[in-house]
Every structure is written in structure tokens, then in C-alpha cells.
Amino acid sequence: MMQAYNIPTAAYKTFSNEQDAKAYVDKTGVPIVIKADGLAAGKGVVVASTAQEANAAIEDFLCNQKFGEASRTIVIEEFLEGEEFSLMAFVNGDAVYPMDISQDHKRAFDGDEGPNTGGMGAYSPVSQISDSVQKRAVYEILKPAAEALVKEGRPYQGILYVGLINTDDGPKVIEFNARFGDPEAQVVLPRLENDLLQVMEDVMNQKPVKLSWKDEACVGVVLASSGYPDTYDKGQELPNLDRIHSNAHVFHAGTKLKQGKWTTNGGRLLLVAAENSSLEKAREQVYEEMKKLNSDHTFYRKDIAQKAFYCKTIS
Ligand code: GLY
């Protein structure tokens, strides 16, 4: 659909044969992106910086069927270089109401090292992505995508999420989701001044909506089980969450309440988010809270939102 409607995205090819996939990597070179074609809980993407890594991913996905049916076909995609950001919108047909943008941190470890995850933390706003780039993302990508769905006879109602890379040629799509982003929603929605349910009702009832956003910044850090995104234990007791200050938000994900105590029950356990007058202050505040959650069974990234302080704005 993106090709048909000139929506900027990475060049790609799909494969279900190992030899053909490896020959394509050989021809195209690295870095290159290997994706399972189906759903893999945010873990079905390998950004390979060497041919060995690319070939290992091809074998894992196609031959060892790491994600079963979801990796029977793979997509091999051009590696897009640039700053990543996430843009979500309330959509009803061709009516598109973009939210303020955020930036996710998909790699497991500090410095964007380690395997891809569903997202280890996020922040909003993202000042190094200029207003003009955000406008291009809305007018060249988000709106054309919603309009394309109308033209295809499949008008969309709901949250449309687009993951973008701000390349030298402008923003390009890396993914679409038909839902809120996680952890993006946890840092964008606290900044929304409107009543969320009213916005949803108005969008559904085709009433015009004007979204307004707090000036405050919001930073969210994910607490994950040690071992995530690979294997990890469940049922480990978490530090006392009552110690988290009441002005921070705690969003549960992979937790379970057992005899009155919160225990681990998944990879990404919870996210703590803090809002403050500047990104720096929100960051300091959230990490003060995260210190209270240190334990042998969990880990979290220490560098969420740090990029915002050294990245130049690219317009
Ligand atoms: N954080 C990426 C996603 O929600 O898909």
C-alpha cells in the first residue's frame, strides 16, 4: 500500500527460501534489517550489522522457525539511518488528529546495545525532531495512509501509530500499528490536556477535535525481568511499589498480584513515568523513583531520554 500511494518507506523484498534470502543479503550488503512477517511481540526484528548476523537471523527465522508461523516468511529491508520517532493519531476515515511525538528506546541495553525489545522507555516531546519534520510526517505519511485506507474501501477508526526514521531525505516509515504504542502512550497521554474519552467520542462522532498539550515533558522507564527479551523467571517478588512517589505514574504490564505482593509475570513488568517542567527534570525525577525498584530479578535502562541532550535538531 505504501508503494501504491507513494508513502516514503524503506526498500524491501520478502522471502520464504533461505538461499534466496542469503543471496539477497550478499548482493545488498550490510547493515540490513531482517523482519519476521508476522507478529512476534516486538521481537521479530534483527538489525544486522554484519553478514554473519544477517545469515544467522535468516536461519533462525526461516529454518529454526523461531516465531513459528510468524517467521515462515521474512521481510528483508533497507536499513534506514537517522533519528527514530513515533507519531500516533486519532483517526476516523480521512479525519486525522495527530498527537505530540515521542521517542521509544527499542534496544535492551544502554547506548542502544543488545537485542530489540517491545520498548524499554520513552519520552515526549522530542525537541530534536523539528516542527517541519513533524508536519512532513503528518502530511506525507499519516494523512495519505488514512486516505489510502478510505480509497481501498477499508476506512480506519482508531489509533494509527507510525514508527518513523528521520532520514536525510525526510521521515520514512519503519512500521505501522493499529493501536497505541507501548511505551509511547504512557509518556504522550499524560501530556494531553483534553479529556481522553471525550476526544475518542468526538472523533468517533465526526465532531471536530482540537488537541492541546501540556508544556511539561514526560519520561517513562520500563522495569524488565532479568534475561528479557530472551528467557526470564516469573513469580519473583518486586520491591514495594508503595515507595514510588504519588506524583509519578506506574503503569503495570507483566506483573501479578500474589497474596498482596506484586510479582514478576512477564518480560516488561511495568513503566514508571514522571512529568516535569523540563525533560532534564522529568528524567532526574523518574530515575529517583527507579532506584527504589532495584533488585536482582529486574533491570532497566539508565539512559532513557539522554539522546535528547546531545542530538542536533534536523529540519
Ligand atoms: N513501542 C513500539 C510499539 O508499541 O510497537
Side-chain angles (χ1 to χ4, degrees):
M1 198 187 81
M2 286 192 274
Q3 280 179 344
Y5 289 91
N6 289 322
I7 295 172
T9 189
Y12 75 96
K13 254 178 169 313
T14 51
F15 296 91
S16 46
N17 174 289
E18 180 201 348
Q19 298 315 325
D20 293 348
K22 285 183 175 171
Y24 183 72
V25 169
D26 214 29
K27 192 178 85 187
T28 332
V30 287
I32 200 154
V33 183
I34 319 285
K35 290 180 168 179
D37 195 30
L39 290 176
K43 291 178 253 173
V45 179
V46 172
V47 181
S49 42
T50 64
Q52 283 83 349
E53 272 171 36
N55 288 340
I58 291 169
E59 283 165 26
D60 253 5
F61 287 7
L62 285 180
C63 311
N64 308 334
Q65 298 190 0
K66 185 167 182 187
F67 298 108
E69 207 39 50
S71 65
R72 206 173 278 282
T73 306
I74 58 170
V75 181
I76 303 190
E77 212 174 75
E78 174 195 6
F79 173 75
L80 296 178
E81 212 160 354
E83 190 85 4
E84 186 171 344
F85 65 104
S86 306
L87 172 63
M88 302 180 283
F90 299 94
V91 174
N92 187 356
D94 57 9
V96 173
Y97 300 99
M99 299 181 215
D100 215 342
I101 62 167
S102 56
Q103 187 173 62
D104 188 10
H105 295 61
K106 293 218 170 62
R107 299 292 191 120
F109 309 128
D110 286 6
D112 289 335
E113 299 282 344
N116 257 323
T117 69
M120 295 299 292
Y123 64 98
S124 175
V126 189
S127 56
Q128 69 272 30
I129 303 290
S130 67
D131 287 350
S132 75
V133 169
Q134 292 183 46
K135 280 202 180 97
R136 282 186 72 175
V138 171
Y139 289 100
E140 292 174 17
I141 293 169
L142 205 48
K143 270 182 154 291
E147 285 162 9
L149 288 168
V150 174
K151 285 183 198 143
E152 297 284 319
R154 285 180 286 149
Y156 179 68
Q157 293 179 313
I159 307 297
L160 193 57
Y161 163 118
V162 55
L164 300 148
I165 300 281
N166 187 25
T167 71
D168 288 345
D169 300 328
K172 290 190 181 180
V173 176
I174 44 170
E175 61 171 336
F176 275 107
N177 288 313
R179 56 166 172 77
F180 278 115
D182 172 12
E184 290 92 331
Q186 293 94 313
V187 295
V188 169
L189 293 182
R191 299 187 51 241
L192 179 65
E193 283 180 325
N194 310 57
D195 180 302
L196 177 62
L197 284 180
Q198 192 62 52
V199 169
M200 289 173 166
E201 278 190 6
D202 289 347
V203 172
M204 293 303 286
N205 293 324
Q206 296 178 332
K207 289 189 189 157
V209 168
K210 186 168 177 356
L211 300 177
S212 54
W213 301 95
K214 294 180 196 167
D215 288 333
E216 277 84 24
C218 188
V219 179
V221 179
V222 167
L223 184 74
S225 291
S226 300
Y228 173 79
D230 294 321
T231 49
Y232 49 82
D233 289 340
K234 288 187 179 177
Q236 305 291 346
E237 199 177 307
L238 285 172
N240 186 356
L241 299 182
D242 294 342
R243 296 177 59 212
I244 301 292
H245 200 287
S246 58
N247 65 7
H249 308 278
V250 179
F251 297 96
H252 285 251
T255 56
K256 193 171 183 179
L257 198 54
K258 247 193 205 164
Q259 289 151 1
K261 299 222 158 92
W262 287 110
T263 60
T264 65
N265 194 43
R268 289 188 298 162
L269 300 163
L270 55 84
L271 176 143
V272 181
E275 290 172 81
N276 214 312
S277 53
S278 70
L279 196 66
E280 210 152 12
K281 285 188 181 155
R283 192 172 178 275
E284 271 167 29
Q285 194 185 338
V286 77
Y287 277 114
E288 276 308 305
E289 300 306 326
M290 292 310 288
K291 277 188 211 154
K292 301 173 187 168
L293 299 179
N294 283 334
S295 96
D296 289 343
H297 310 298
T298 60
F299 75 101
Y300 56 89
R301 274 183 64 159
K302 311 283 189 303
D303 63 346
I304 302 299
Q306 200 163 289
K307 251 195 211 169
F309 303 112
Y310 61 77
C311 273
K312 276 201 237 105
T313 306
I314 304 159
S315 39

